[in-house]
Amino acid sequence: MAQLSDTIENFIKELMCEDKQIELRRNELAQHFGCAPSQINYVLATRFSVDHGYIIESRRGGGGFVRILRIQTSTGQNLLSRLLERIGTSISEESSNAIIRQLYESKIVTASEARIMSAAVAKNSLALPVSAKDTLRAAILKNIVTQAFKNREEENQ
């Protein structure tokens, strides 16, 4: 299943190559790949989330569609507020790393900074009971992300 998910993800990304948004019909995409529409839903939910730099809009029904929008980094404050909202008061290590990857791919942080950020939110770095790790991780990640945006803003001045 992972191979089909990768193929669908790559297909959608190729369609989006130069566009910041595309509209797709879930059923047509499922027919194209010979899979169930739920497989398309899975790819959209796991590979095209806010954590990965995308926003999904969908309308169900006969004329239904799925619109995928790439979050633009040129509006730094907008991206920052969306990321902080996504982080919330609790976040998993996996979601944290997806956000850090997005920051790296958007050139907001360097590869070295991304590795340091990942180390800071890793489960073995947080010596707390499991229930408290996600809460502490969210607070740490919010501070790191905010500082990364401040650093980028200062460098651009």
Side-chain angles (χ1 to χ4, degrees), residues 87-96 121-123 126 128-142:
I87 295 166
T89 58
S90 178
I91 191 166
S92 70
E93 182 177 7
E94 181 180 336
S95 292
S96 296
V121 297
K123 64 182 167 208
L126 307 173
L128 293 169
V130 175
S131 60
K133 285 185 181 193
D134 290 350
T135 303
L136 179 58
R137 182 179 293 113
I140 291 169
L141 188 58
K142 279 182 175 181

Side-chain angles (χ1 to χ4, degrees), residues 59-76:
R59 187 176 74 201
R60 299 190 185 272
F65 64 87
V66 174
R67 181 178 296 134
I68 305 170
L69 299 110
R70 184 179 300 126
I71 298 172
Q72 298 299 306
T73 57
S74 60
T75 57

Side-chain angles (χ1 to χ4, degrees), residues 14-59:
E14 283 179 25
L15 289 176
M16 290 189 77
C17 185
E18 295 180 14
D19 298 326
K20 59 182 173 183
Q21 79 174 25
I22 59 169
E23 284 187 14
L24 305 168
R25 300 216 184 278
R26 191 179 339 243
N27 287 338
E28 290 175 9
L29 205 53
Q31 281 182 331
H32 177 79
F33 287 102
C35 65
S38 61
Q39 180 68 34
I40 304 302
N41 289 342
Y42 170 79
V43 172
L44 293 174
T46 59
R47 314 279 177 103
F48 292 91
S49 65
V50 173
D51 295 350
H52 294 93
Y54 299 92
I55 296 173
I56 302 292
E57 297 175 355
S58 109
R59 187 176 74 201

Side-chain angles (χ1 to χ4, degrees), residues 89-140:
T89 58
S90 178
I91 191 166
S92 70
E93 182 177 7
E94 181 180 336
S95 292
S96 296
N97 283 320
I99 289 171
I100 293 166
R101 242 185 334 277
Q102 178 191 356
L103 293 172
Y104 171 68
E105 290 171 1
S106 301
K107 299 187 183 336
I108 293 170
V109 299
T110 65
S112 177
E113 291 167 334
R115 286 190 299 272
I116 291 168
M117 291 169 77
S118 291
V121 297
K123 64 182 167 208
N124 61 353
S125 296
L126 307 173
L128 293 169
V130 175
S131 60
K133 285 185 181 193
D134 290 350
T135 303
L136 179 58
R137 182 179 293 113
I140 291 169

